[in-house]
Amino acid sequence: TPWPLPPGQYPLGLGGERDGLLRVPAAAPPGPLPLILMLHGATGTAERALRRIARIADSALLLLPESLGTTWDVLEGGYGPDIARIEAALARILPAWPVDPRRIAVAGFSDGASYALSLALMNGAAFSHALAFSPGFVAPVSLDGRPRLFLSHGTADRVLNIDLCSRRLVPKLRQSGYPLIYREFEGGHELPEEIALTALAFLMADRAAAPPVD
């Protein structure tokens, strides 16, 4: 393989006890690799985030950083240390790997989904897509570009109520002109396999042939 590392899991290399994982896929599609930066929920870990997207883990190069605190910095005083670590990881990985610039997604679950949406809206030049599974809010301090957005939410979510979260977010994002797919499912605060597969199809779709928005 021309890749810098063979398939497997490696420390992300951010340092400290809250480091994260780099996961090299075992059987990715030929050609440049899609990249997914996957962000865990509150009190989460890289391993837990990986389990949530296990069904699609072999379809992309995965970066799974861990927040320095119990959740991401925007919820613990403001943007800063976690963004710096994510930027450092991307600055090291992107030049070394054959990444497809059309398929660089920031993804997340729960608090990680809120953070992923916020990062995508602030960094549309860096992220082509955001995959937000059960987000609670979006809090960009600036806007850049038009990343393509995928949101999902369980109708029986007791952690982040769908009426107060995604059903409010989605219309506002659409009104702002973002290409967007939204999927509700019968279930709670979770990420079903079929939702993960739909998000992957959204990331991998040929924009010219059939722009995957609704």
Side-chain angles (χ1 to χ4, degrees):
T1 174
W3 298 347
L5 293 167
Q9 293 178 198
Y10 304 89
L12 191 50
L14 298 176
E17 294 181 2
R18 300 281 293 171
D19 181 8
L21 294 174
L22 170 67
R23 188 180 188 281
V24 180
L33 281 168
L35 182 146
I36 299 176
L37 172 71
M38 177 65 186
L39 308 178
H40 60 71
T43 72
T45 63
E47 289 84 357
R48 195 182 307 172
L50 178 57
R51 287 197 298 271
R52 291 195 185 278
I53 59 169
R55 185 67 176 81
I56 64 172
D58 271 334
S59 300
L61 182 67
L62 298 184
L63 277 66
L64 301 114
E66 293 182 334
S67 60
L68 286 173
T70 57
T71 190
W72 299 98
D73 54 11
V74 68
L75 289 148
E76 296 196 335
Y79 293 110
D82 288 331
I83 281 190
R85 284 158 55 86
I86 288 170
E87 288 177 344
L90 289 170
R92 189 175 69 253
I93 297 298
L94 288 174
W97 288 81
V99 170
D100 185 348
R102 302 168 303 164
R103 295 183 173 90
I104 299 177
V106 55
F109 175 75
S110 192
D111 278 4
S114 302
Y115 203 56
L117 274 179
S118 302
L119 292 185
L121 267 56
M122 292 189 293
N123 297 279
F127 297 111
S128 61
H129 296 71
L131 313 176
F133 308 112
S134 304
F137 64 90
V138 63
V141 295
S142 60
L143 298 175
D144 173 44
R146 282 288 183 270
R148 301 169 78 77
L149 311 178
F150 176 92
L151 285 77
S152 66
H153 218 114
T155 55
D157 193 328
R158 295 185 179 181
V159 177
L160 293 172
N161 182 279
I162 190 172
D163 290 322
L164 301 178
C165 298
S166 287
R167 286 178 179 170
R168 288 185 176 180
L169 279 174
V170 168
K172 293 178 180 179
L173 291 167
R174 283 186 170 141
Q175 289 167 11
S176 297
Y178 291 98
L180 185 149
I181 274 185
Y182 175 51
R183 293 291 179 263
E184 296 184 357
F185 59 90
E186 294 184 6
H189 199 58
E190 58 190 305
L191 173 48
E193 284 191 1
E194 62 268 24
I195 293 295
L197 289 168
T198 303
L200 177 64
F202 174 71
L203 175 61
M204 299 302 294
D206 185 338
R207 298 188 194 186
V213 295
D214 63 8

